[in-house]
Amino acid sequence: MKITDIEAIPITADVKPLGDPDGIAPYVTSGGRVESAERMLIRLETDTDVTGWGEMMIEIDPLAMKTLIEREVAPRLIGRDVWETESVVQNHRYFYVDIASLYGGVEMAMWDAFGKHLQTPIHQLLGGKCSDTVETAYCVGILDVEASRDHAQHAIDEGYSVLKTKGGRDWEQDVERIVAMDEAVDGELQFRIDPNQAWSFDEAVRVGARLEDEGVYVQYLEQPNRIETYGAYQRLRERLRQPIGANDDTYFAHNLYHLVKNDAIDVGIVDVVPSGVTGLRQLAGVAADAGISLAHHCGFDLGVKTAAMLHTVASTDAFNLPSDSVYYAWEDHIIGDPFTIDAGALTVPDDPGLGVTVDRSKVEELRLDV
């Protein structure tokens, strides 16, 4: 079963606005605001007429990313067997340019096509499900105190046990919002806060200590410092009793291993892209052996990548914390039968491959003109 063609399709989808019951846009972070999100879909064709799909974020110019995938990645894969996922990820290296992350969505499409060919869901190819559902965390951006309290109550009403909020623009306001949300729900929610590397070491210490003074112990502080501040997480753990999580650090080869080797983190927040399904399983093994917790990251994922997350997370009990998700907040869906979130959880698909059917007419409607 050979790969015959790979197309990269850039699309953009709107996020429901604040005021809608499930609206979160503008989703404000320390680095900007999200009202719509650009995604790159991967359509992989085979000589058996089976089509596989993948999905990833667009973080560079869409045309540049499309060109790299179709003119650098695709020629190396066309003619290869669709089940060669391990060698695809491991054997393609560039000395001076790192484009390994571009293989994540392509590898996802390979798994999808292979599963469809075998008439088997991906979770069975990975050893089977540990659970039929994956719990998710409710996510909101930086809001004022009253709006934050309202969203915390909404999360409780919808059956979530964890709320993740962005932070980093003003650490004192970050603390105020989390304390207010905790009070609004009488401590019934756990909280995660992600400043996207925006806090200094001193500010991260103050946030953790101030929350402790208020009697709030978060599930974790996510990537509070910049990734190049080597040794900061180890020192931060020595200073605080709040759990420390690494996200962006885990996108670089071997970083998770070195972080756990140095006893620097409590939680790894990993992602099927750029790691790939194969790579994510390897990270899960590192975390399990080290005895740290794992959660899956969300980069405004549509239905294809959400399905890949569900199969991979459900197939290992190393993921012992809810996965981040904003799936509830999309205005449009690119799969024919969109997922529904029930009491904060998503059901793992059982149909072949990723278990979702891409709505090609919707994809064309959302396609970016590049």
Side-chain angles (χ1 to χ4, degrees):
M1 184 184 184
K2 306 293 186 182
I3 300 170
T4 59
D5 188 39
I6 295 173
E7 180 187 9
I9 306 170
I11 65 172
T12 183
D14 291 333
V15 181
K16 293 178 182 177
L18 292 167
D20 185 288
D22 294 316
I24 58 173
Y27 188 86
V28 178
T29 74
S30 60
R33 49 198 285 138
V34 177
E35 297 181 69
S36 63
E38 295 181 346
R39 309 292 297 173
M40 186 69 74
L41 299 180
I42 305 298
R43 182 190 55 79
L44 180 147
E45 300 291 348
T46 67
D47 60 1
T48 60
D49 294 326
V50 173
T51 300
W53 290 89
E55 177 195 333
M56 64 185 99
M57 294 175 64
I58 297 178
E59 294 195 275
I60 59 176
D61 176 78
L63 178 58
M65 186 172 178
K66 177 180 172 67
T67 302
L68 282 169
I69 293 170
E70 293 181 347
R71 300 188 65 175
E72 284 294 328
V73 177
R76 295 168 178 261
L77 299 183
I78 291 173
R80 298 282 295 271
D81 289 313
V82 78
W83 52 79
E84 294 185 79
T85 52
E86 180 96 17
S87 60
V88 160
V89 174
Q90 297 297 328
N91 295 336
H92 293 156
R93 293 289 181 266
Y94 298 79
F95 286 108
Y96 300 109
V97 179
D98 183 5
I99 66 167
S101 63
L102 299 183
Y103 283 93
V106 176
E107 188 231 34
M108 188 187 303
M110 293 172 70
W111 278 102
D112 185 34
F114 188 37
K116 289 174 179 175
H117 173 70
L118 297 177
Q119 286 295 295
T120 303
I122 288 173
H123 63 74
Q124 288 187 9
L125 300 178
L126 299 175
K129 292 182 290 185
C130 298
S131 173
D132 291 328
T133 61
V134 171
E135 187 180 357
T136 64
Y138 183 82
C139 300
V140 294
I142 299 173
L143 301 166
D144 62 39
V145 170
E146 285 308 311
S148 297
R149 292 171 66 94
D150 291 342
H151 277 270
Q153 186 58 58
H154 179 68
I156 285 288
D157 293 342
E158 292 297 310
Y160 291 88
S161 65
V162 181
L163 183 148
K164 173 180 173 177
T165 184
K166 291 294 184 177
R169 293 190 170 189
D170 183 324
W171 71 267
E172 291 181 299
Q173 289 183 5
D174 294 336
V175 171
E176 182 183 5
R177 287 188 297 112
I178 291 179
V179 171
M181 287 190 288
D182 183 65
E183 291 174 347
V185 297
D186 294 325
E188 292 185 32
L189 274 177
Q190 296 187 67
F191 295 96
R192 306 169 175 176
I193 182 164
D194 176 16
N196 293 107
Q197 307 182 45
W199 292 331
S200 66
F201 180 84
D202 172 73
E203 288 170 336
V205 170
R206 288 171 180 267
V207 169
R210 183 75 65 84
L211 286 171
E212 184 178 336
D213 289 344
E214 296 287 349
V216 179
Y217 291 85
V218 295
Q219 196 170 72
Y220 51 81
L221 305 175
E222 178 178 336
Q223 201 75 41
N225 302 137
R226 295 185 63 84
I227 57 175
E228 67 266 29
T229 52
Y230 301 108
Y233 290 142
Q234 187 174 2
R235 291 187 293 119
L236 198 57
R237 272 192 96 219
E238 293 169 355
R239 295 283 298 273
L240 295 175
R241 290 192 289 183
Q242 304 281 6
I244 307 301
N247 169 224
D248 306 319
D249 263 300
T250 67
Y251 301 158
F252 297 89
H254 314 300
N255 269 22
L256 183 64
Y257 167 77
H258 288 292
L259 287 166
V260 298
K261 180 181 178 181
N262 292 317
D263 200 24
I265 60 172
D266 302 280
V267 181
I269 303 98
V270 295
D271 201 306
V272 71
V273 178
S275 301
V277 172
T278 305
L280 202 64
R281 300 271 295 179
Q282 294 170 346
L283 293 177
V286 171
D289 286 346
I292 69 165
S293 293
L294 272 190
H296 193 281
H297 172 256
C298 174
F300 280 86
D301 304 329
L302 289 162
V304 173
K305 188 182 168 195
T306 296
M309 177 277 288
L310 292 172
H311 285 279
T312 312
V313 168
S315 66
T316 171
D317 58 10
F319 285 91
N320 60 341
L321 296 177
S323 299
D324 291 338
S325 180
V326 296
Y327 193 77
Y328 52 86
W330 286 113
E331 290 277 20
D332 291 295
H333 292 283
I334 60 166
I335 59 176
D337 187 14
F339 291 106
T340 57
I341 301 178
D342 183 17
L346 288 161
T347 299
V348 183
D350 280 322
D351 288 338
L354 289 173
V356 296
T357 301
V358 172
D359 183 342
R360 296 201 183 194
S361 63
K362 179 57 70 172
V363 169
E364 291 306 314
E365 180 184 325
L366 301 178
R367 184 192 284 258
L368 281 170
D369 183 10
V370 296

